[in-house]
Amino acid sequence: MARLDDEDRTSGAVDRETIRRAYAADPFEAERRLFGRLAHADRRGFLRGAGLAAMGAALGAAMPFHRNFPSGLVPAAFAQDSEAELMAGKDGLTLLNERPVNAETPAHLLDDDITPYERLFVRNNGLVPQSALEQNAEGWTLTVDGEVDNTLSLSIDDLKNDFETVTQALWLECGGNGRAFFNPGASGNQWTTGAIGCPEWTGVRLRDVLERAGLKSSAVYTGHYGNDLHLSGDPEKEAISRGVPIDKAMEPECMIAWAMNGQDIPALHGFPLRLVIPGYPGSASQKYLTRIWVRDQVHDGAKMGGYSYRLPAYPVAPGTEVPEEDMEILTVMPVKSLITGPATGAEVPAGQPAEVRGHAWAGNGDVRAMHVSLDFGQTWQEAELDGPPNKYAWQRWRAEVTPPEAGYYEVWARATDQNGVMQPPTTPGWNPRGYGNNMMHRIALFAV
Amino acid sequence: MRCDLMGMTRGRRRGRRPAGAVLRRAAWLAAGAAVLSAGVAAAQGYDPMRPPQQQVPGAAAPETAPEVDPELGGLPVGPGAEDTFYLCSACHSISLVTQQRLTDERWDYLWTWMIEEQGMPEQDAETRETILDYLKTHFSAER
């Protein structure tokens, strides 16, 4: 597995657009002409000499397993423009991963009641589709099929014209938000606290569309599909395809959205159409939505099985290997809150009240109470808590804390849901993939 | 830093102590004052929730930090680094690897998952061992 030398990297570079067009016209001819590869009967063939160097140069990296790369398949990196460039439109996010794009937002940048595009976290499982990068929704159709009386094929105009349009503030949180705090570590992006945001979505109720299709009595689950490309570049593979129980899908807050904060949904967040299933892990809210398959069983699409978005059915010690059959699907997200102001490490005057504020949310609906502590959880005071503008919008809270003398303090924040369930001070049940960590957020305050 | 500061504030709050404790307390206060002055200077952005595996941006690398190869996505130098880089970065960025601190069993599981679910090409036994040894050495929850 020799690396390409610098000369090889720069020689014979072919631009991405040329590659894309050539592959679209005739993938096998494109490969022969651009890279000198002749496909064998099994659609695999060595790239040799100049051809390998040219592909490496165009990729910006060597392609060590080219022998395994099926002929006639556009290498994923050529398939589209660099989606990483889109991150330039984000403000202050921490990039965890470039491919796929995953980035989280520091808590103090999440202070807005409605999260602006610039500060909304990004969690993609596959590659941003070319249609989204080009903001091209021409000919887009949403298919609703399976356990329905009438299969629907809806254009975006059909959705806009034939159903009631609704606008709601709905939070989305990655199921793995807080994964970084589990020990031993859980695999996946190491989100700390920032895979959460609450934009305003415009679209139609998922329920209205499902009712138009007519659910059969056999309908038990939804299965969601989008047109994002799997990381391997294999067009036959789904990047992700999750679903929710029909009862959840029929909640009036669940949406098929085409706008976020009054604009077309941005490329990173699901252009031109996405689901918003509030209260569930964000992965249920399929981006780049093309199809809703109503199932007569629990959906078995990509990342529904194994350890993905699943928790052990019983409490386990940290690091336990749990058999796959003992894993259960993560559904309702736990109660949680963030301190969004001031930023951690802020200086405040000793002996004077300082305002702290943030948001609170719960997967089962409204948050009942919010408390803060300035002494490492020894005493608590109740914070002022606003009601949400609609169900599943996060709720603003604020409190005044008074550090008695100069020194180091921490603000701990604790939300309580409508069942009286509170956030824990440390990580809740360890699980192999690190989901559902709703431990209290805490920030440092220096009283001077 | 957090432990030193908490030690100092605890020392301040508590009342009468035996003589030995007073001496220890004085040492705490001296250490605490030094840390506090440094701490306040560096207070902006100090985060008590920062996971231990995340580097502080701009902080000097500890002397024990492994040498990394920027050509290989910042992977630590060592046997298997090159094979690991080329296999993993064919589909996802290497930062997804360098974030992990997993048990050996989880690395074995991920290898199989990558092949069975994510389309990673099968590797010969030697390559498999080289790469898994590298991952278990450098990105482990066990060592």
Side-chain angles (χ1 to χ4, degrees), chain A residues 53-297:
Chain A
M55 195 176 263
L59 267 169
M63 198 171 175
F65 296 106
H66 58 91
R67 179 69 181 79
N68 295 317
F69 190 81
S71 285
L73 193 63
V74 192
F78 300 156
Q80 44 202 299
D81 300 321
S82 168
E83 59 196 55
E85 290 161 20
L86 289 171
M87 292 305 293
K90 294 286 183 179
D91 177 20
L93 271 60
T94 306
L95 190 65
L96 300 179
N97 197 355
E98 287 180 304
R99 178 190 169 88
V101 180
N102 288 282
E104 70 171 328
T105 315
H108 68 280
L109 298 181
L110 284 171
D111 195 46
D112 300 274
D113 288 327
I114 300 295
T115 308
Y117 167 73
E118 294 75 20
R119 291 174 173 176
L120 182 61
F121 78 101
V122 183
R123 197 293 182 248
N124 276 340
N125 282 263
L127 302 173
V128 177
Q130 190 63 29
S131 50
L133 291 170
E134 291 171 359
Q135 299 279 288
N136 179 7
E138 204 181 308
W140 195 273
T141 52
L142 169 65
T143 302
V144 182
D145 62 351
E147 305 302 308
V148 294
D149 296 325
N150 310 296
T151 293
L152 302 180
S153 183
L154 301 165
S155 68
I156 295 172
D157 280 344
D158 292 338
L159 288 168
K160 289 180 177 174
N161 296 332
D162 298 352
F163 300 89
E164 184 187 346
T165 297
V166 290
T167 295
Q168 303 176 97
L170 300 170
W171 57 265
L172 284 179
E173 181 179 20
C174 173
N177 198 21
R179 175 178 292 138
F181 303 108
F182 285 106
N183 187 22
S187 65
N189 289 289
Q190 299 300 300
W191 306 103
T192 61
T193 60
I196 172 76
C198 187
E200 191 174 69
W201 305 96
T202 298
V204 299
R205 293 183 195 89
L206 174 58
R207 178 172 75 180
D208 292 349
V209 173
L210 293 177
E211 282 178 348
R212 177 73 55 92
L215 290 175
K216 292 183 174 170
S217 59
S218 52
V220 298
Y221 226 87
T222 58
H224 313 150
Y225 293 86
N227 77 331
D228 41 348
L229 190 65
H230 190 270
L231 294 177
S232 65
D234 183 348
E236 299 302 312
K237 287 191 85 66
E238 297 291 342
I240 188 168
S241 172
R242 305 199 67 248
V244 297
I246 287 293
D247 286 350
K248 178 65 187 179
M250 294 298 280
E251 283 187 3
E253 294 81 13
C254 293
M255 297 177 69
I256 300 168
W258 58 74
M260 184 181 104
N261 297 341
Q263 311 274 325
D264 286 350
I265 294 178
L268 287 169
H269 299 294
F271 178 92
L273 215 55
R274 73 172 296 166
L275 284 167
V276 184
I277 309 283
Y280 269 42
S283 55
S285 297
Q286 190 86 32
K287 299 177 182 181
Y288 320 109
L289 182 70
T290 55
R291 180 188 180 201
I292 299 169
W293 180 19
V294 179
R295 306 294 311 269
D296 60 0
Q297 61 170 72

